[in-house]
Amino acid sequence: MDDLHRRALIRGVATFVGVAVIGSILVSALGGGDSEATSSPTPTTAPPPSSVAPPAPQAWLTWVPGGLPPSYGDLVSTVPDIVASTTATADIAWMTASLDADGNGVDEPQAPMMIPMEVTGVDPTFAAFIPEPERQLVQNLRPGEGILSESEANLRSLGPGSTLLFRGGEQVDVIGTLPDALMGDYEVLVTRETARQLGVTHDRYVLFHVRPGTDLTPTDLVPAFRDLLPADTPYPAIEVRAPGETAYLRANDRAITPIALKLKFGEFTAVPGVADPTQLEIDPTWINDNIQSATLPLLGTVTCHTKTLFLLKRAMRALVEAGAGDEVTDVGACFDPTASPDDPSGPLTAAAWGASILLNPAGNTPGDAPTQSKDLVHELYRWGYGWGGNDAYPQGALFRYRKPPTAQD
């Protein structure tokens, strides 16, 4: 048995045992609700961390909000002290069914409903950025084949030999799984050719190496990368991460990923709108079970995921008690079922789950310097919300669920 298969076997056993022992604890930690919530969705648990952690990719990362301009990835390699790079695509592909290794149906959404899947498409050069022995799996990837992240495989109880079916009759045969960190927390990794057939066409991120011994920081590289942007770039901002600065090497790495949103808030089926494909028609049953309107302090009536209403209520109540009730003057959408490939926050965001909210949008135009108070940002952070005002392309009104709350009361 080689190192790759041995490591995969140990992780699989650890996951099985861990789910049985601590699954209920994870449901409680991630739920975010309490007795004040009027309804509760069916919990979906995330798999526990692997007991055998693979080496993290020692790569640098750069991405541009809304997707990379044409040729940006190629131009990155021309910057001094960059010695290797690879560019990857990422978008939402629509899965119509899945089969296990024996050909039995696993996911069977009722047409026309489909399951949104975040897929990344890579070149052969991507394998050089994956540590051994996991690199072998990526090197062996062929057109029509795919690799699942471990979280994705656990969510669906799928593994090698299973099959994913997508809109248009496209098929992806699963050849293995990789730890989430090695796939940027994307759900499925395929070749660029296969990605194009699935409708995954937008270049999203670049991984690169710098010359050994070079004393560079992300701040050092931003000006050179910014010079690579065309004048008409919709969101002219550059994000750069050095090795170890981010948990996942992916575009929009500050935001919670679609697979994490599914595990915390439940997976929905949907169909893109006919008149406007960016508008999602989500399964009404899922909406009925998970989305609720409530009147909250400072916010008025908002419509959000049931698990986040309690968090927002506590955050707003804390502001009122601290005498900072005037920090919220207007409120935008919370539940916003959209999926746009040009969205600077990513092609499928927390808004589709009702897990983000716009606060004071009138005074915080995207791209402008944010005007939010520190008290507001801090209180939302305590209750599990990250702030879009910290992004290179600032979205000062945007607060998106990111992690379980740190507040204790």
Side-chain angles (χ1 to χ4, degrees):
M1 180 181 294
D2 61 27
D3 290 343
L4 176 62
H5 289 91
R6 182 180 296 109
R7 184 177 289 171
L9 178 60
I10 295 173
R11 282 198 301 263
V13 172
T15 296
F16 175 79
V17 174
V19 168
V21 175
I22 68 172
S24 61
I25 298 175
L26 284 169
V27 173
S28 175
L30 297 175
D34 72 352
S35 59
E36 293 182 287
T38 58
S39 65
S40 177
T42 302
T44 305
T45 61
S50 168
S51 63
V52 181
Q58 291 301 300
W60 290 67
L61 164 73
T62 181
W63 56 273
V64 177
L68 305 181
S71 302
Y72 177 84
D74 294 334
L75 292 173
V76 163
S77 62
T78 68
V79 173
D81 295 319
I82 292 180
V83 295
S85 67
T86 187
T87 303
T89 61
D91 278 313
I92 298 302
W94 290 93
M95 188 173 74
T96 57
S98 68
L99 310 173
D100 65 18
D102 296 322
N104 300 313
V106 178
D107 294 291
E108 299 177 299
Q110 184 175 358
M113 293 295 172
M114 299 173 286
I115 298 173
M117 300 279 282
E118 194 183 32
V119 176
T120 186
V122 302
D123 288 324
T125 53
F126 185 87
F129 294 85
I130 301 294
E132 294 285 8
E134 285 82 6
R135 181 181 300 170
Q136 302 165 28
L137 191 61
V138 180
Q139 289 175 328
N140 293 334
L141 188 64
R142 299 290 181 265
E145 297 177 340
I147 300 170
L148 302 182
S149 69
E150 288 185 343
S151 287
E152 179 69 20
N154 277 281
L155 174 65
R156 306 196 183 287
S157 299
L158 294 177
S162 58
T163 302
L164 310 180
L165 302 177
F166 290 87
R167 181 169 58 177
E170 300 297 334
Q171 175 175 319
V172 173
D173 298 321
V174 177
I175 64 168
T177 65
L178 283 176
D180 301 349
L182 297 187
M183 288 180 48
D185 215 29
Y186 289 101
E187 296 178 78
V188 187
L189 184 147
V190 297
T191 66
R192 269 183 171 265
E193 177 181 338
T194 301
R196 280 193 296 270
Q197 293 171 345
L198 300 179
V200 177
T201 59
H202 291 83
D203 286 346
R204 295 284 178 190
Y205 61 104
V206 180
L207 305 184
F208 61 95
H209 289 144
V210 302
R211 192 179 309 281
T214 303
D215 187 19
L216 286 175
T217 68
T219 302
D220 296 330
L221 290 172
V222 167
F225 288 174
R226 187 183 293 118
D227 288 344
L228 305 178
L229 297 179
D232 60 351
T233 301
Y235 309 106
I238 297 292
E239 298 273 10
V240 182
R241 310 282 185 265
E245 287 189 345
T246 186
Y248 299 117
L249 296 173
R250 57 173 288 122
N252 302 102
D253 63 311
R254 284 196 184 94
I256 188 171
T257 62
I259 180 61
L261 287 162
K262 292 179 180 184
L263 293 168
K264 289 176 172 60
F265 300 110
E267 182 175 69
F268 57 74
T269 60
V271 60
V274 175
D276 182 359
T278 68
Q279 300 296 313
L280 301 183
E281 298 177 12
I282 295 178
D283 173 26
T285 300
W286 187 90
I287 292 177
N288 184 64
D289 291 343
N290 293 278
I291 303 300
Q292 178 182 335
S293 295
T295 301
L296 304 183
L298 303 184
L299 304 183
T301 300
V302 293
T303 301
C304 308
H305 197 287
T306 56
K307 288 183 177 180
T308 67
L309 286 170
F310 169 70
L311 304 179
L312 292 171
K313 180 178 181 179
R314 285 300 180 91
M316 296 303 105
R317 181 182 292 170
L319 286 172
V320 172
E321 293 173 351
D326 59 349
E327 301 293 355
V328 178
T329 58
D330 59 303
V331 180
C334 182
F335 175 53
D336 185 16
T338 59
S340 172
D342 303 321
D343 190 325
S345 295
L348 186 63
T349 73
W353 277 265
S356 68
I357 191 166
L358 299 176
L359 299 181
N360 302 322
N364 288 274
T365 303
D368 291 347
T371 63
Q372 302 286 20
S373 73
K374 292 182 179 179
D375 288 341
L376 178 62
V377 173
H378 175 71
E379 199 58 50
L380 267 295
Y381 183 82
R382 289 180 67 235
W383 289 97
Y385 282 78
W387 183 42
N390 287 326
D391 296 347
Y393 179 80
Q395 299 182 76
L398 177 61
F399 293 86
R400 53 205 175 204
Y401 180 88
R402 183 169 176 84
K403 60 185 179 180
T406 58
Q408 300 291 328
D409 65 2

mmCIF file of all heavy atoms in Angstrom, residues 77-113:
data_model
loop_
_atom_site.group_PDB
_atom_site.id
_atom_site.type_symbol
_atom_site.label_atom_id
_atom_site.label_comp_id
_atom_site.label_asym_id
_atom_site.label_seq_id
_atom_site.Cartn_x
_atom_site.Cartn_y
_atom_site.Cartn_z
ATOM 1 N N SER A 77 3.459 35.462 -14.441
ATOM 2 C CA SER A 77 4.745 34.763 -14.528
ATOM 3 C C SER A 77 5.860 35.646 -15.080
ATOM 4 O O SER A 77 7.036 35.270 -15.018
ATOM 5 C CB SER A 77 4.601 33.507 -15.393
ATOM 6 O OG SER A 77 4.232 33.853 -16.718
ATOM 7 N N THR A 78 5.513 36.822 -15.623
ATOM 8 C CA THR A 78 6.537 37.736 -16.144
ATOM 9 C C THR A 78 7.056 38.695 -15.080
ATOM 10 O O THR A 78 8.019 39.424 -15.327
ATOM 11 C CB THR A 78 5.977 38.561 -17.321
ATOM 12 O OG1 THR A 78 4.967 39.464 -16.837
ATOM 13 C CG2 THR A 78 5.377 37.655 -18.388
ATOM 14 N N VAL A 79 6.432 38.718 -13.916
ATOM 15 C CA VAL A 79 6.868 39.605 -12.839
ATOM 16 C C VAL A 79 8.185 39.082 -12.266
ATOM 17 O O VAL A 79 8.330 37.879 -12.022
ATOM 18 C CB VAL A 79 5.793 39.694 -11.741
ATOM 19 C CG1 VAL A 79 6.292 40.480 -10.535
ATOM 20 C CG2 VAL A 79 4.525 40.325 -12.307
ATOM 21 N N PRO A 80 9.163 39.951 -12.051
ATOM 22 C CA PRO A 80 10.446 39.497 -11.507
ATOM 23 C C PRO A 80 10.298 38.705 -10.213
ATOM 24 O O PRO A 80 9.443 39.008 -9.379
ATOM 25 C CB PRO A 80 11.200 40.818 -11.267
ATOM 26 C CG PRO A 80 10.615 41.763 -12.262
ATOM 27 C CD PRO A 80 9.162 41.394 -12.369
ATOM 28 N N ASP A 81 11.122 37.671 -10.085
ATOM 29 C CA ASP A 81 11.203 36.797 -8.914
ATOM 30 C C ASP A 81 10.088 35.765 -8.831
ATOM 31 O O ASP A 81 10.046 34.982 -7.882
ATOM 32 C CB ASP A 81 11.248 37.603 -7.604
ATOM 33 C CG ASP A 81 12.510 38.448 -7.494
ATOM 34 O OD1 ASP A 81 13.586 37.950 -7.860
ATOM 35 O OD2 ASP A 81 12.403 39.611 -7.057
ATOM 36 N N ILE A 82 9.170 35.737 -9.815
ATOM 37 C CA ILE A 82 8.182 34.662 -9.858
ATOM 38 C C ILE A 82 8.693 33.601 -10.829
ATOM 39 O O ILE A 82 8.981 33.891 -11.995
ATOM 40 C CB ILE A 82 6.802 35.190 -10.273
ATOM 41 C CG1 ILE A 82 6.260 36.092 -9.163
ATOM 42 C CG2 ILE A 82 5.831 34.049 -10.566
ATOM 43 C CD1 ILE A 82 4.911 36.679 -9.420
ATOM 44 N N VAL A 83 8.820 32.375 -10.343
ATOM 45 C CA VAL A 83 9.495 31.338 -11.122
ATOM 46 C C VAL A 83 8.554 30.264 -11.652
ATOM 47 O O VAL A 83 8.934 29.484 -12.516
ATOM 48 C CB VAL A 83 10.609 30.680 -10.285
ATOM 49 C CG1 VAL A 83 11.695 31.702 -9.978
ATOM 50 C CG2 VAL A 83 10.061 30.086 -8.986
ATOM 51 N N ALA A 84 7.339 30.194 -11.156
ATOM 52 C CA ALA A 84 6.371 29.204 -11.640
ATOM 53 C C ALA A 84 4.979 29.664 -11.270
ATOM 54 O O ALA A 84 4.780 30.295 -10.228
ATOM 55 C CB ALA A 84 6.646 27.828 -11.047
ATOM 56 N N SER A 85 3.995 29.376 -12.124
ATOM 57 C CA SER A 85 2.618 29.752 -11.820
ATOM 58 C C SER A 85 1.654 28.820 -12.529
ATOM 59 O O SER A 85 2.012 28.151 -13.501
ATOM 60 C CB SER A 85 2.339 31.205 -12.244
ATOM 61 O OG SER A 85 2.375 31.337 -13.649
ATOM 62 N N THR A 86 0.433 28.784 -12.027
ATOM 63 C CA THR A 86 -0.642 28.036 -12.674
ATOM 64 C C THR A 86 -1.939 28.791 -12.440
ATOM 65 O O THR A 86 -2.167 29.336 -11.353
ATOM 66 C CB THR A 86 -0.747 26.599 -12.134
ATOM 67 O OG1 THR A 86 -1.699 25.858 -12.901
ATOM 68 C CG2 THR A 86 -1.170 26.562 -10.672
ATOM 69 N N THR A 87 -2.783 28.866 -13.450
ATOM 70 C CA THR A 87 -4.052 29.581 -13.386
ATOM 71 C C THR A 87 -5.198 28.582 -13.423
ATOM 72 O O THR A 87 -5.175 27.640 -14.214
ATOM 73 C CB THR A 87 -4.179 30.569 -14.555
ATOM 74 O OG1 THR A 87 -3.068 31.465 -14.533
ATOM 75 C CG2 THR A 87 -5.467 31.364 -14.459
ATOM 76 N N ALA A 88 -6.197 28.791 -12.588
ATOM 77 C CA ALA A 88 -7.330 27.870 -12.499
ATOM 78 C C ALA A 88 -8.643 28.598 -12.715
ATOM 79 O O ALA A 88 -8.781 29.777 -12.373
ATOM 80 C CB ALA A 88 -7.339 27.161 -11.150
ATOM 81 N N THR A 89 -9.593 27.895 -13.277
ATOM 82 C CA THR A 89 -10.948 28.409 -13.421
ATOM 83 C C THR A 89 -11.789 27.968 -12.231
ATOM 84 O O THR A 89 -11.444 27.030 -11.518
ATOM 85 C CB THR A 89 -11.612 27.908 -14.714
ATOM 86 O OG1 THR A 89 -11.681 26.468 -14.661
ATOM 87 C CG2 THR A 89 -10.813 28.319 -15.935
ATOM 88 N N ALA A 90 -12.894 28.636 -12.015
ATOM 89 C CA ALA A 90 -13.861 28.221 -10.996
ATOM 90 C C ALA A 90 -15.189 28.889 -11.289
ATOM 91 O O ALA A 90 -15.242 30.071 -11.619
ATOM 92 C CB ALA A 90 -13.379 28.556 -9.588
ATOM 93 N N ASP A 91 -16.248 28.119 -11.176
ATOM 94 C CA ASP A 91 -17.609 28.611 -11.392
ATOM 95 C C ASP A 91 -18.568 27.618 -10.751
ATOM 96 O O ASP A 91 -18.159 26.594 -10.189
ATOM 97 C CB ASP A 91 -17.924 28.725 -12.896
ATOM 98 C CG ASP A 91 -17.406 30.014 -13.525
ATOM 99 O OD1 ASP A 91 -17.620 31.089 -12.946
ATOM 100 O OD2 ASP A 91 -16.770 29.931 -14.596
ATOM 101 N N ILE A 92 -19.847 27.914 -10.892
ATOM 102 C CA ILE A 92 -20.882 26.996 -10.439
ATOM 103 C C ILE A 92 -21.325 26.125 -11.612
ATOM 104 O O ILE A 92 -21.668 26.633 -12.684
ATOM 105 C CB ILE A 92 -22.089 27.755 -9.874
ATOM 106 C CG1 ILE A 92 -21.659 28.583 -8.654
ATOM 107 C CG2 ILE A 92 -23.218 26.798 -9.498
ATOM 108 C CD1 ILE A 92 -21.036 27.765 -7.533
ATOM 109 N N ALA A 93 -21.281 24.809 -11.420
ATOM 110 C CA ALA A 93 -21.837 23.855 -12.371
ATOM 111 C C ALA A 93 -23.084 23.243 -11.736
ATOM 112 O O ALA A 93 -23.190 23.155 -10.509
ATOM 113 C CB ALA A 93 -20.814 22.766 -12.711
ATOM 114 N N TRP A 94 -24.007 22.808 -12.583
ATOM 115 C CA TRP A 94 -25.305 22.358 -12.078
ATOM 116 C C TRP A 94 -25.427 20.844 -12.204
ATOM 117 O O TRP A 94 -25.489 20.304 -13.302
ATOM 118 C CB TRP A 94 -26.426 23.071 -12.822
ATOM 119 C CG TRP A 94 -26.477 24.523 -12.460
ATOM 120 C CD1 TRP A 94 -25.875 25.563 -13.098
ATOM 121 C CD2 TRP A 94 -27.149 25.083 -11.319
ATOM 122 N NE1 TRP A 94 -26.131 26.747 -12.445
ATOM 123 C CE2 TRP A 94 -26.912 26.482 -11.352
ATOM 124 C CE3 TRP A 94 -27.925 24.542 -10.297
ATOM 125 C CZ2 TRP A 94 -27.417 27.345 -10.387
ATOM 126 C CZ3 TRP A 94 -28.437 25.414 -9.338
ATOM 127 C CH2 TRP A 94 -28.191 26.789 -9.391
ATOM 128 N N MET A 95 -25.457 20.160 -11.044
ATOM 129 C CA MET A 95 -25.518 18.706 -11.010
ATOM 130 C C MET A 95 -26.970 18.233 -11.017
ATOM 131 O O MET A 95 -27.799 18.716 -10.243
ATOM 132 C CB MET A 95 -24.802 18.169 -9.765
ATOM 133 C CG MET A 95 -24.655 16.651 -9.761
ATOM 134 S SD MET A 95 -23.629 16.031 -8.401
ATOM 135 C CE MET A 95 -24.752 16.257 -7.011
ATOM 136 N N THR A 96 -27.257 17.269 -11.877
ATOM 137 C CA THR A 96 -28.614 16.738 -12.000
ATOM 138 C C THR A 96 -28.801 15.416 -11.268
ATOM 139 O O THR A 96 -29.934 15.033 -10.971
ATOM 140 C CB THR A 96 -28.978 16.545 -13.470
ATOM 141 O OG1 THR A 96 -28.019 15.666 -14.088
ATOM 142 C CG2 THR A 96 -28.972 17.885 -14.218
ATOM 143 N N ALA A 97 -27.690 14.711 -10.971
ATOM 144 C CA ALA A 97 -27.789 13.434 -10.265
ATOM 145 C C ALA A 97 -26.393 12.962 -9.906
ATOM 146 O O ALA A 97 -25.389 13.429 -10.465
ATOM 147 C CB ALA A 97 -28.487 12.371 -11.122
ATOM 148 N N SER A 98 -26.323 12.039 -8.957
ATOM 149 C CA SER A 98 -25.062 11.367 -8.653
ATOM 150 C C SER A 98 -25.350 9.894 -8.402
ATOM 151 O O SER A 98 -26.436 9.525 -7.947
ATOM 152 C CB SER A 98 -24.369 11.998 -7.440
ATOM 153 O OG SER A 98 -25.104 11.755 -6.250
ATOM 154 N N LEU A 99 -24.350 9.065 -8.710
ATOM 155 C CA LEU A 99 -24.449 7.614 -8.546
ATOM 156 C C LEU A 99 -23.266 7.133 -7.733
ATOM 157 O O LEU A 99 -22.144 7.634 -7.893
ATOM 158 C CB LEU A 99 -24.453 6.909 -9.901
ATOM 159 C CG LEU A 99 -25.432 7.416 -10.965
ATOM 160 C CD1 LEU A 99 -25.166 6.717 -12.295
ATOM 161 C CD2 LEU A 99 -26.867 7.187 -10.518
ATOM 162 N N ASP A 100 -23.483 6.151 -6.864
ATOM 163 C CA ASP A 100 -22.362 5.589 -6.128
ATOM 164 C C ASP A 100 -21.591 4.612 -7.000
ATOM 165 O O ASP A 100 -21.923 4.423 -8.184
ATOM 166 C CB ASP A 100 -22.824 4.944 -4.816
ATOM 167 C CG ASP A 100 -23.733 3.740 -5.016
ATOM 168 O OD1 ASP A 100 -23.763 3.162 -6.130
ATOM 169 O OD2 ASP A 100 -24.424 3.363 -4.046
ATOM 170 N N ALA A 101 -20.571 3.990 -6.439
ATOM 171 C CA ALA A 101 -19.703 3.115 -7.230
ATOM 172 C C ALA A 101 -20.444 1.902 -7.778
ATOM 173 O O ALA A 101 -19.992 1.283 -8.759
ATOM 174 C CB ALA A 101 -18.514 2.669 -6.385
ATOM 175 N N ASP A 102 -21.579 1.549 -7.198
ATOM 176 C CA ASP A 102 -22.374 0.416 -7.677
ATOM 177 C C ASP A 102 -23.466 0.845 -8.652
ATOM 178 O O ASP A 102 -24.281 0.013 -9.076
ATOM 179 C CB ASP A 102 -23.017 -0.310 -6.489
ATOM 180 C CG ASP A 102 -21.984 -0.939 -5.567
ATOM 181 O OD1 ASP A 102 -20.969 -1.449 -6.089
ATOM 182 O OD2 ASP A 102 -22.182 -0.895 -4.338
ATOM 183 N N GLY A 103 -23.504 2.126 -8.978
ATOM 184 C CA GLY A 103 -24.508 2.620 -9.914
ATOM 185 C C GLY A 103 -25.834 2.968 -9.282
ATOM 186 O O GLY A 103 -26.802 3.270 -9.999
ATOM 187 N N ASN A 104 -25.894 2.972 -7.958
ATOM 188 C CA ASN A 104 -27.136 3.329 -7.275
ATOM 189 C C ASN A 104 -27.263 4.849 -7.172
ATOM 190 O O ASN A 104 -26.288 5.554 -6.897
ATOM 191 C CB ASN A 104 -27.156 2.721 -5.867
ATOM 192 C CG ASN A 104 -27.066 1.213 -5.891
ATOM 193 O OD1 ASN A 104 -27.783 0.556 -6.654
ATOM 194 N ND2 ASN A 104 -26.184 0.655 -5.071
ATOM 195 N N GLY A 105 -28.478 5.350 -7.348
ATOM 196 C CA GLY A 105 -28.707 6.782 -7.255
ATOM 197 C C GLY A 105 -28.504 7.299 -5.844
ATOM 198 O O GLY A 105 -28.971 6.689 -4.881
ATOM 199 N N VAL A 106 -27.809 8.412 -5.707
ATOM 200 C CA VAL A 106 -27.585 9.053 -4.409
ATOM 201 C C VAL A 106 -28.303 10.406 -4.384
ATOM 202 O O VAL A 106 -29.249 10.599 -3.636
ATOM 203 C CB VAL A 106 -26.079 9.218 -4.118
ATOM 204 C CG1 VAL A 106 -25.872 9.943 -2.784
ATOM 205 C CG2 VAL A 106 -25.394 7.862 -4.102
ATOM 206 N N ASP A 107 -27.846 11.323 -5.203
ATOM 207 C CA ASP A 107 -28.546 12.604 -5.357
ATOM 208 C C ASP A 107 -29.480 12.487 -6.553
ATOM 209 O O ASP A 107 -29.036 12.196 -7.667
ATOM 210 C CB ASP A 107 -27.540 13.738 -5.599
ATOM 211 C CG ASP A 107 -26.653 13.985 -4.400
ATOM 212 O OD1 ASP A 107 -27.170 14.470 -3.382
ATOM 213 O OD2 ASP A 107 -25.451 13.685 -4.490
ATOM 214 N N GLU A 108 -30.754 12.744 -6.318
ATOM 215 C CA GLU A 108 -31.739 12.624 -7.395
ATOM 216 C C GLU A 108 -32.733 13.785 -7.314
ATOM 217 O O GLU A 108 -33.916 13.584 -7.034
ATOM 218 C CB GLU A 108 -32.466 11.283 -7.291
ATOM 219 C CG GLU A 108 -31.544 10.078 -7.428
ATOM 220 C CD GLU A 108 -32.264 8.745 -7.248
ATOM 221 O OE1 GLU A 108 -32.829 8.525 -6.157
ATOM 222 O OE2 GLU A 108 -32.260 7.951 -8.197
ATOM 223 N N PRO A 109 -32.263 15.016 -7.536
ATOM 224 C CA PRO A 109 -33.198 16.150 -7.485
ATOM 225 C C PRO A 109 -34.259 16.028 -8.567
ATOM 226 O O PRO A 109 -33.988 15.545 -9.673
ATOM 227 C CB PRO A 109 -32.288 17.356 -7.721
ATOM 228 C CG PRO A 109 -31.093 16.809 -8.422
ATOM 229 C CD PRO A 109 -30.899 15.432 -7.891
ATOM 230 N N GLN A 110 -35.457 16.458 -8.231
ATOM 231 C CA GLN A 110 -36.563 16.379 -9.175
ATOM 232 C C GLN A 110 -36.450 17.498 -10.201
ATOM 233 O O GLN A 110 -36.380 18.671 -9.859
ATOM 234 C CB GLN A 110 -37.894 16.480 -8.429
ATOM 235 C CG GLN A 110 -39.117 16.307 -9.316
ATOM 236 C CD GLN A 110 -40.415 16.290 -8.517
ATOM 237 O OE1 GLN A 110 -40.394 16.367 -7.294
ATOM 238 N NE2 GLN A 110 -41.532 16.201 -9.210
ATOM 239 N N ALA A 111 -36.404 17.129 -11.472
ATOM 240 C CA ALA A 111 -36.287 18.116 -12.552
ATOM 241 C C ALA A 111 -37.442 19.114 -12.466
ATOM 242 O O ALA A 111 -38.560 18.758 -12.109
ATOM 243 C CB ALA A 111 -36.286 17.416 -13.901
ATOM 244 N N PRO A 112 -37.172 20.390 -12.756
ATOM 245 C CA PRO A 112 -35.926 20.939 -13.314
ATOM 246 C C PRO A 112 -34.903 21.341 -12.264
ATOM 247 O O PRO A 112 -33.887 21.943 -12.610
ATOM 248 C CB PRO A 112 -36.426 22.173 -14.062
ATOM 249 C CG PRO A 112 -37.545 22.680 -13.201
ATOM 250 C CD PRO A 112 -38.230 21.435 -12.680
ATOM 251 N N MET A 113 -35.150 21.001 -10.985
ATOM 252 C CA MET A 113 -34.233 21.406 -9.937
ATOM 253 C C MET A 113 -32.889 20.698 -10.083
ATOM 254 O O MET A 113 -32.824 19.540 -10.499
ATOM 255 C CB MET A 113 -34.832 21.129 -8.559
ATOM 256 C CG MET A 113 -36.040 21.987 -8.234
ATOM 257 S SD MET A 113 -35.576 23.737 -8.126
ATOM 258 C CE MET A 113 -37.186 24.507 -7.982
#
